[in-house]
Amino acid sequence: MRGWEVLREYGVRGSLLRAIQSLYSQSESCVRVLGSTSDRFPVRVGLRQGCALSPILFVIIMDRISRRSRGGGGLQFGGLRIAPLLFADDVALMASSVCDLQRSLDLFAAECEAAGMRISTSKSEAMVLSRKPMDCPLQVGNEALPQVKEFKYLGVLFSSEGTMEREMGRRIGAAGAVLQSLYCTVVTKRELSQKAKLSVYRAIFVPTLTYDHEGWVMTERTRSRIQAAEMGVLRRVAGISLRDKVRSSVIREGLGVEPLLLRVERSQLRWFGHLVRMPPGRLPREVFQARPAGKRPRGRPRTRWRDYISSLAWERLGIPQSELVDVARERKVGTLCWSCYLGDPDGNVFENILLSFSWSLLS
């Protein structure tokens, strides 16, 4: 097994190495189908399924592959170089040109082959982040990788245009699917109490809708859609329809639920505090502080996340942009009263609600 040489490189030797080798020495398996068991056959490759040691061994091998393939380039973002990103067996290779990306892919594939692994071309895709259509022909050996306009990585949908509107729309659609699946069994079931229904709402519906929301740039249209999805559940839980003409604030107050938009914005400010206080060298902080070279294209510029957070802190908390970073670094905790505009599900009627709560930029 080639992994033994990798373990020796990482300092695993002697009795510890022999103990690990004994787990894979003369390993055999069989297959059970409909109560019948096949003949035993030897297993000479791969890690043991269900073994507590397997994730550690896999991480060691992937770390070696990553370290040896870093010479293949990476993405230049301002003065920062972003190396390939790895999460378990998911790998994201990035480069500024097709040639550099192909070189990184070849080097990574060669290191995988040296470690007894190979890239699954059926699960690999290429995507170009650009406002203009561009071709990106990539190959792994003799197999060409398909080029797509959308790519899902770690549960988040990235588009070639570099926007998150599709991902936010997909989140809202997924939350609607959850509501539909729970409509008869939970939401409208009379045998369940409101407390039980709200527990399901907080445990399933809210995480589905707000997954990865810290990096969103919220527009008025997005706010209206999120609030409509939220109130669609809460009105049914409370047994109130739109014909009853009851304000959303009254329904939330009766159920004891805070506005979902409030939770989203508070989490976004908390994540900003995380970024500001991260130690130097952490990739999220370095990317946040990097300044890409070049000029922005003509037309209405897209709202950057840093500008959105600055505007959010000023509108909701009254913190000017010049003081926002200093406030975030101090872990300032205080009781703040701030006004936010929350719309009814139809997106037409708005009311001014004064909210008072203990707020921490990073708790």
Side-chain angles (χ1 to χ4, degrees):
M1 181 179 179
R2 301 176 186 177
W4 306 137
E5 287 76 14
V6 177
L7 292 179
R8 291 190 181 94
E9 290 182 13
Y10 279 73
V12 180
R13 298 184 179 87
S15 59
L16 178 58
L17 180 60
R18 290 193 297 271
I20 298 175
Q21 288 175 331
S22 66
L23 297 175
Y24 293 87
S25 177
Q26 299 179 354
S27 179
E28 294 182 345
S29 295
C30 61
V31 179
R32 178 179 295 176
V33 180
L34 299 178
S36 301
T37 304
S38 68
D39 297 334
R40 292 184 174 274
F41 53 89
V43 178
R44 299 186 178 89
V45 295
L47 298 173
R48 297 171 62 92
Q49 297 294 320
C51 178
L53 190 61
S54 296
I56 300 176
L57 298 177
F58 181 80
V59 168
I60 291 175
I61 295 175
M62 289 302 300
D63 182 72
R64 179 181 183 269
I65 294 175
S66 174
R67 291 177 182 274
R68 286 176 171 263
S69 60
R70 284 182 180 177
L75 178 64
Q76 290 296 135
F77 185 76
L80 178 67
R81 176 182 172 274
I82 303 178
L85 304 178
L86 288 84
F87 184 86
D89 59 346
D90 290 330
V91 182
L93 300 178
M94 296 173 288
S96 302
S97 65
V98 178
C99 295
D100 291 341
L101 186 57
Q102 182 64 62
R103 190 181 304 110
S104 299
L105 183 59
D106 293 339
L107 183 57
F108 189 84
E111 292 298 331
C112 288
E113 291 288 343
M117 304 173 66
R118 62 184 179 184
I119 297 177
S120 176
T121 55
S122 61
K123 300 179 181 179
S124 302
E125 297 173 330
M127 188 182 74
V128 179
L129 286 172
S130 175
R131 295 192 179 188
K132 298 180 180 180
M134 294 180 60
D135 293 331
C136 183
L138 297 177
Q139 286 187 329
V140 178
N142 296 325
E143 299 185 55
L145 298 183
Q147 183 176 347
V148 296
K149 295 183 178 180
E150 296 177 344
F151 185 77
K152 186 186 294 185
Y153 183 67
L154 301 183
V156 179
L157 185 68
F158 294 90
S159 65
S160 58
E161 298 178 352
T163 61
M164 296 297 293
E165 277 76 10
R166 290 277 298 171
E167 166 62 14
M168 289 186 281
R170 193 176 69 92
R171 286 284 111 206
I172 296 173
V178 169
L179 173 61
Q180 185 176 3
S181 63
L182 299 176
Y183 186 80
C184 296
T185 57
V186 176
V187 178
T188 59
K189 195 175 183 63
R190 295 183 178 181
E191 291 79 5
L192 290 179
S193 63
Q194 282 189 356
K195 183 178 180 180
K197 294 178 181 179
L198 290 176
S199 297
V200 175
Y201 163 79
R202 296 188 181 97
I204 300 178
F205 182 84
V206 173
T208 302
L209 179 59
T210 61
Y211 179 76
D212 192 51
H213 65 277
E214 290 84 357
W216 291 357
V217 175
M218 304 279 286
T219 62
E220 291 301 326
R221 181 175 180 271
T222 305
R223 295 174 192 272
S224 298
R225 294 183 64 188
I226 291 177
Q227 189 175 7
E230 171 199 14
M231 293 309 303
V233 179
L234 297 182
R235 285 183 181 275
R236 289 173 174 83
V237 170
I240 299 175
S241 66
L242 291 174
R243 298 187 185 93
D244 298 325
K245 297 182 179 181
V246 180
R247 291 183 178 273
S248 301
S249 58
V250 176
I251 297 176
R252 291 195 191 95
E253 184 178 357
L255 296 176
V257 178
E258 70 171 1
L260 188 57
L261 289 176
L262 175 62
R263 173 176 177 172
V264 169
E265 292 176 350
R266 188 167 61 235
S267 297
Q268 290 176 329
L269 291 171
R270 185 179 297 116
W271 172 240
F272 173 77
H274 277 290
L275 288 175
V276 171
R277 283 192 297 273
M278 280 183 182
R282 289 286 302 276
L283 182 59
R285 170 179 171 159
E286 298 299 328
V287 172
F288 175 70
Q289 293 182 343
R291 294 294 187 272
K295 296 182 179 180
R296 306 183 76 175
R298 291 183 178 180
R300 182 180 180 180
R302 294 174 179 173
T303 303
R304 297 174 297 188
W305 188 80
R306 63 171 66 248
D307 298 332
Y308 163 74
I309 289 296
S310 299
S311 175
L312 182 65
W314 171 250
E315 294 176 1
R316 302 299 192 236
L317 307 175
I319 302 176
Q321 182 179 0
S322 58
E323 301 177 5
L324 182 58
V325 174
D326 295 334
V327 172
R329 286 174 178 168
E330 294 175 359
R331 286 182 176 261
K332 185 175 181 180
V333 180
T335 301
L336 301 176
C337 294
W338 55 294
S339 298
C340 65
Y341 289 91
L342 301 174
D344 285 340
D346 56 8
N348 297 323
V349 182
F350 289 85
E351 56 190 278
N352 193 16
I353 303 175
L354 185 63
L355 300 173
S356 178
F357 62 95
S358 295
W359 171 79
S360 170
L361 200 56
L362 176 58
S363 58

